[in-house]
Amino acid sequence: MKLTKEDARAIADALRKAAEAVDKYLDDNYKKISREEYESLYESFHTIQRISSFATTVAVGLALDALTKPAAELKKVIKQAKEKIETLKTIGHVIRVVAGVVDLAASVMARDPNAIVTSVTNLGNLMKETEDV
Amino acid sequence: MTQRNRWVLSLTASCIALLSIACTTDLTAVREWSKTSLEATQYSELVTTYANTPQRLKRYDPKKSLEITESWDAQIKLRQNQAEALKTILSAISDYMAALAILSSASTVDYSKDVGALNAGIQNLNAGISNETLGAVGSLVNAVLGTAAKAYQKRQVADIVERANGPLQTILRGELRNIISQDFRGDLSNEKTSIGGYFKDKLRVKEGAPPTSAAARVALEEWEELRLEENAKRTEAVDAYLTVLDKVAVGHQKLYDNRNELDAEKLIKDLFSLIVEIRKQIKILAAT
């Protein structure tokens, strides 16, 4: 039978409680038991703790598997949100491009060669930004 | 009425219609809540604590056989990989909150500077439009555009909230919460028992063993206290982070439930009271 995250959590929890019980027993009885008994129980205490910690690692691993799908879905939404932000930014950019065109038209109408060159350069830069957006 | 005047009049009418929609389009509460949630969910120290727990437990494990050392090392490696995966999930939540904050920000749809540049260009055309008319038209264009953009922005925020709520609630109320509430907390409880067991063992006067000196006893007691304090702070951080996750989940559910009226008075009130509660937890997290 396959181990579930709930099983792993139940095991970790039971072992944790067992370790606490051994610790309490040692605390209450260390003066009454032999050195060998003490050492053996103290070693058991650490073994139980080790397995409990490992069971927690297993539970987290299994829980992470369950998070993969919603996390991937959320990432998709983040991508959509970023696209929407870009769209909103593009609106401002489009206005700037229109302003650049109008500026160029004004320079042409004024027959000012220097202004025309500047306007064309500015418009070119704006168009380049459009490609980047 | 001249052609130009008709155009200005028609523009004014459009403005009034759009302004009536825009007057109720205020996403400040959504933006502030998203920013606060972003700040709170960026805290990833808990994951580092979880990843490093076997390293700390190893310190309290007196048995240093090769097999046991290797078993701890294998667990440390496993947890480091899990920590990366957990951080990726936490950063997905933060990324989402950041995107929502930008999407709902007023500056995202503030085109006044762009319209200003356009007006200046039109003025340079010298097409016979008076500066006064041009100024009025510019203000109207600005208002219309701002209004339309805000209405569009509101729809986009609602759309994103609708799409994100399912996976976000699954993460916040589901396994991420279980991992922090049960696994992280259990892990810290395990560490607390380990600390107690380790120091008590050193302090116990055991049969046939030489007694510990008074100075060593004081030093050991102090170390135990210090380690237990660190453990208590980590546990406090777990509680604070769980509260953050719960408040973020509640807030987003409220956004979802009110996605078609994101500027509803009750929603704004609820979001601001959640912001206050999340801020309290941020302070606790910062102190741990």
Side-chain angles (χ1 to χ4, degrees), chain B residues 197-217:
Chain B
Y198 176 81
F199 283 101
K200 274 185 279 182
D201 177 67
K202 301 278 177 249
L203 290 164
R204 280 170 194 146
V205 182
K206 284 161 278 185
E207 183 196 78
T212 315
S213 73
R217 288 188 75 85

Side-chain angles (χ1 to χ4, degrees), chain A residues 70-96:
Chain A
E73 282 174 30
L74 188 62
K75 279 180 189 168
K76 240 187 252 175
V77 180
I78 295 167
K79 195 171 169 268
Q80 288 165 344
K82 285 180 179 169
E83 283 166 5
K84 285 176 191 292
I85 292 166
E86 283 311 311
T87 305
L88 288 167
K89 283 182 183 168
T90 309
I91 294 171
H93 193 76
V94 167
I95 300 166
R96 287 200 298 279

